[in-house]
Amino acid sequence: MSVVVPVLMAGGSGTRLWPLSRTAYPKQFLRLLADDCSLLQSTVRRAQRVPGATAPVVIGNEAHRFIIAEQLQEIGFEHPEIVLEPEGRNTAPVAAVAAHYALARHGADALVFLMAADQNVHDVAAFVSSATLAVEAARAGRLVTFGIQPQGPETGFGYVRVGAPLQTVPGAFEVSGFFEKPSLERAQGYLSQGGYYWNGGMFMFRADAFLRELQALEPDMHDHAGAALSGAAPRDLDFIRLDPGAFKACRSDSIDYAVMEKSRNIALVPLDAGWDDVGSWTFLAKLHAADEDGNHVRGNVILEDARNNLVQTGKRLVSLLGVENTVVIESDDAVLVASRDRLQDVGKIVKRLQGDRRGEANSLPRVARPWGYYETIAVSDRFQVKRILVKPKHKLSLQMHHHRAEHWVVVRGTAKVTCGDKEFLLTEDQSTYIPLGTTHRVENPGKVPLEMIEVQSGAYLGEDDIVRFEDVYGRTAK
């Protein structure tokens, strides 16, 4: 029996979920669901329920590699397969790499189940049922697209029109057309006619069948994607780094335009499973039941004479008084307040922040690192205070700084400290001083997380003032 290789595309930015989604920590890594899983983790778990599924392959970018690895490890994949794109080239080159990968690892009849890592499905059983039907159609050599049952006249998605039933695979259909994102009037027409589905960007295909179509339709992309995988750098930890020159030579295009809309070998499998692309904060209304006034809230919230609002908070209390149809999203360093009917425009706020070179567009105060994370607590002209967490048996790089000195105070766990030619242990309530220009490292030799408070002082406190001498994670930059 041929295997099913779930391939998750995890390179998106998700600006419409700002201020929680940032360039450095986009929406696929956010824990928005009731079970506290990230969207990536939920997608992996859902895919694992498809009969014949292998461990997942995640295709993402270099900046997120350690976040991807950590989130997969949290759900039981100790050494996941993570393919790193040198730069984003849209979904067609990703699909091509996925097909070459499945062919090389699992043989010509391996099935690729290509999906975005930042979507959600409410009815997992229905999802598995549709995926199982797609397996049948894909084994027969068809390139399968999933037609999402429309939940309304949506103008933000493309549409697929169903054709005649597939005689060989009951429940699957031919495709009679792909359609661009429509106007509202046209979308309403699609729904009234029937037979139109949302194009949700999920696909399943035999590796060899897809590559044959790609070779015929986009021969250069076929060859460059294969060369990008075969020319990948030697495996580094869990990461497969595609050859930059070959991958960048792939024409940037979507799988829909490059292959699906041109091929005569397409099948459609309907999916009616409460699919959601998590494209805006209206997603909150689908996660939690509304109160008697139509409010959907999550976190530390007090409402008084407030109706039909969406509210999500982090640490701080948020109170709404006499407010209707408003969305409030609170994070550690930014708050979004928007009318519910303007949520599709949140990206405009992000563009303004990026134009002004504001840090709030790109990163959160808590920054993920392969050894744990650091969180900025206070910043001034010549000092900065951070909370640092180091996971058990992990350590930072051996490094030095040209422009700052550091004071470390251990508040939990045990720290093994290297400072110049000295090595010593610090336990709770103990501290040390790292002079400017001194080689240093901190390591957690214990079984519980190490938490420290770090006070930096100096003329320049940027994260790029790091000279690394040794690093177990293979980093050469910050």
Side-chain angles (χ1 to χ4, degrees):
M1 181 180 292
S2 53
V3 300
V4 178
V5 185
V7 179
L8 279 65
M9 299 178 287
S13 58
T15 57
R16 287 179 294 176
L17 289 189
W18 185 88
L20 295 190
S21 178
R22 311 281 177 99
T23 304
Y25 205 89
K27 69 172 181 175
Q28 56 267 31
F29 308 124
L30 297 179
R31 300 177 189 275
L32 300 173
L33 306 176
D35 60 3
D36 204 36
C37 279
S38 71
L39 294 172
L40 168 66
Q41 291 172 325
S42 180
T43 305
V44 169
R45 285 179 165 170
R46 188 163 62 245
Q48 290 301 293
R49 294 183 56 177
V50 177
T54 68
V57 178
V58 179
I59 301 182
N61 67 50
E62 181 84 11
H64 304 142
R65 65 194 188 280
F66 293 116
I67 302 172
I68 296 170
E70 181 176 29
Q71 291 206 350
L72 293 177
Q73 288 162 7
E74 286 178 358
I75 58 173
F77 297 96
E78 289 300 320
H79 297 290
E81 295 279 283
I82 301 170
V83 179
L84 300 178
E85 300 173 279
E87 65 177 39
R89 305 297 290 163
N90 213 321
T91 55
V94 171
V97 168
H100 280 293
Y101 174 94
L103 180 69
R105 299 295 196 278
H106 300 286
D109 62 348
L111 305 183
V112 174
F113 190 5
L114 186 70
M115 68 198 90
D118 58 0
Q119 299 173 350
N120 188 49
V121 167
H122 295 277
D123 187 344
V124 176
F127 169 86
V128 173
S129 178
S130 290
T132 302
L133 180 60
V135 167
E136 277 191 68
R139 279 184 181 146
R142 294 282 188 151
L143 310 185
V144 179
T145 184
F146 289 79
I148 311 299
Q149 182 65 44
Q151 299 168 33
E154 177 62 54
T155 61
F157 304 138
Y159 285 71
V160 186
R161 186 171 62 200
V162 71
L166 272 186
Q167 298 301 316
T168 55
V169 185
F173 300 86
E174 303 280 357
V175 171
S176 66
F178 288 84
F179 301 88
E180 298 289 340
K181 297 175 183 178
S183 65
L184 179 60
E185 182 180 4
R186 179 163 291 182
Q188 290 170 335
Y190 290 164
L191 265 62
S192 63
Q193 291 176 49
Y196 286 83
Y197 292 86
W198 290 343
N199 184 353
M202 284 195 298
F203 308 94
M204 189 180 293
F205 44 77
R206 277 176 55 130
D208 58 349
F210 182 83
L211 290 174
R212 279 196 299 272
E213 290 288 276
L214 190 68
Q215 178 73 68
L217 297 169
E218 295 280 348
D220 288 344
M221 186 183 296
H222 172 282
D223 295 346
H224 292 319
L229 184 64
S230 63
R235 189 179 176 114
D236 168 22
L237 299 177
D238 298 321
F239 310 121
I240 300 169
R241 287 181 166 85
L242 298 174
D243 179 78
F247 190 74
K248 291 177 183 179
C250 291
R251 185 172 64 84
S252 180
D253 203 354
S254 71
I255 183 176
D256 298 282
Y257 289 150
V259 177
M260 305 301 284
E261 295 185 11
K262 300 174 183 176
S263 174
R264 297 183 178 181
N265 194 32
I266 308 300
L268 181 144
V269 169
L271 176 64
D272 187 4
W275 174 90
D276 197 306
D277 75 331
V278 196
S280 77
W281 283 116
T282 55
F283 177 68
L284 289 179
K286 301 174 184 178
L287 289 181
H288 309 285
D291 65 15
E292 59 186 9
D293 292 315
N295 300 295
H296 297 265
V297 302
R298 186 180 190 185
N300 191 8
V301 182
I302 293 178
L303 303 174
E304 183 66 33
D305 192 25
R307 295 174 182 82
N308 300 320
N309 301 295
L310 303 176
V311 188
Q312 170 146 330
T313 71
K315 297 177 181 177
R316 292 174 289 185
L317 168 67
V318 171
S319 303
L320 273 65
L321 174 62
V323 174
E324 296 185 3
N325 301 315
T326 299
V327 177
V328 180
I329 309 297
E330 181 261 346
S331 71
D332 287 346
D333 64 338
V335 178
L336 170 70
V337 180
S339 172
R340 286 186 69 161
D341 61 5
R342 294 294 304 275
L343 287 176
Q344 296 299 325
D345 294 330
V346 172
K348 294 180 180 179
I349 299 293
V350 177
K351 286 183 179 178
R352 287 190 59 179
L353 292 171
Q354 291 171 336
D356 294 339
R357 298 186 177 181
R358 294 282 299 262
E360 294 93 336
N362 299 317
S363 60
L364 292 159
R366 177 177 290 189
V367 179
R369 287 290 185 257
W371 41 260
Y373 64 81
Y374 69 81
E375 184 174 11
T376 301
I377 298 173
V379 181
S380 188
D381 290 340
R382 292 187 59 86
F383 77 87
Q384 183 168 222
V385 181
K386 292 182 177 180
R387 174 174 174 252
I388 295 175
L389 183 140
V390 185
K391 295 180 290 188
K393 309 303 179 184
H394 283 254
K395 57 186 174 183
L396 281 66
S397 58
L398 183 66
Q399 59 185 249
M400 60 88 72
H401 311 294
H402 290 296
H403 302 287
R404 72 176 186 248
E406 297 174 344
H407 297 258
W408 294 346
V409 180
V410 175
V411 296
R412 181 187 180 203
T414 300
K416 182 179 179 181
V417 177
T418 298
C419 184
D421 57 1
K422 298 178 181 179
E423 190 173 277
F424 52 91
L425 295 177
L426 295 178
T427 56
E428 293 180 8
D429 298 325
Q430 294 183 325
S431 63
T432 191
Y433 171 64
I434 309 296
L436 182 150
T438 302
T439 302
H440 60 280
R441 163 183 270 163
V442 64
E443 177 180 351
N444 181 357
K447 297 182 179 180
V448 299
L450 163 65
E451 294 186 52
M452 304 191 316
I453 298 299
E454 177 182 87
V455 180
Q456 303 174 355
S457 59
Y460 180 74
L461 305 173
E463 280 299 305
D464 54 352
D465 180 23
I466 297 178
V467 179
R468 288 195 171 99
F469 300 101
E470 294 176 12
D471 184 66
V472 296
Y473 309 106
R475 296 170 298 168
T476 57
K478 59 186 182 196

